[in-house]
Amino acid sequence: SSRRRHTRYISVTGVQTCALPISAEEIAQNYIAEQDFTAPTVTVTRSGSSTLKVGDTTTVTFTLSESSTNFVAGDVTVSGGTLSSFSGSGTSYTATFTPTANASGTASISVAAGAFTDAVGNSNTTNSLSISYDTIRPSVSSMTSPTVAAGASATVTITLSEASSDFAFADL
């Protein structure tokens, strides 16, 4: 285990009288406390890896290295979209990320250091996730329409604002 363990010895002074004698060995056996000084970590991941498009969402998973009872949606900072349906407990939480409409860029989902604690009060370390998104619908930026005589054919050139993999004649 990567968990660091420290032993703290507690000295007992000022013992006046006891009904039963207590030896130094008994004190050492009964008053040794192990303390956890390891900060819990959080790993932020998502389902899929492609750029999110119009209408897309993705599930974001927050995996904590130690159980927490105070990790909440408010501990997560989001830019470039919104989180909804935050749920979970212990070491596993999920939420749905929806990118900002009519925009493109890189969203960030992060948990700052000190946002939550483990059972003994150690504050977490930081982690974040970046998600590319493009929710701008392509548009026609130019179109040539030459004059055509009856019965003749012509080539019409349509230029889109960005590449399209499914633009078809039926879209006209």
Side-chain angles (χ1 to χ4, degrees):
S1 169
S2 63
R3 180 184 293 263
R4 297 183 323 222
R5 296 270 184 202
H6 299 279
T7 302
R8 175 183 287 168
Y9 294 93
I10 300 170
S11 63
V12 178
T13 58
V15 175
Q16 295 178 2
T17 51
C18 283
L20 300 172
I22 298 176
S23 68
E25 182 179 309
E26 288 174 304
I27 291 172
Q29 288 175 355
N30 294 314
Y31 293 95
I32 295 177
E34 284 192 24
Q35 291 202 353
D36 172 1
F37 295 104
T38 303
T41 60
V42 57
T43 303
V44 186
T45 57
R46 67 173 275 215
S47 57
S49 61
S50 62
T51 298
L52 297 180
K53 303 288 185 191
V54 174
D56 288 348
T57 63
T58 190
T59 299
V60 178
T61 302
F62 303 89
T63 305
L64 314 184
S65 63
E66 298 182 56
S67 186
S68 176
T69 58
N70 64 350
F71 181 58
V72 295
D75 295 336
V76 182
T77 302
V78 180
S79 67
T82 59
L83 279 185
S84 61
S85 303
F86 184 89
S87 65
S89 63
T91 61
S92 183
Y93 298 79
T94 60
T96 301
F97 173 76
T98 304
T100 301
N102 299 313
S104 65
T106 303
S108 176
I109 301 170
S110 61
V111 178
F116 66 90
T117 60
D118 63 12
V120 297
N122 295 318
S123 295
N124 68 288
T125 60
T126 188
N127 201 322
S128 64
L129 170 69
S130 296
I131 300 173
S132 296
Y133 67 98
D134 180 0
T135 57
I136 300 172
R137 294 184 187 276
S139 62
V140 174
S141 58
S142 69
M143 183 167 92
T144 62
S145 56
T147 304
V148 180
S153 63
T155 300
V156 175
T157 302
I158 300 170
T159 305
L160 301 178
S161 61
E162 62 184 85
S164 173
S165 62
D166 62 353
F167 183 72
F169 183 75
D171 294 331
L172 297 176

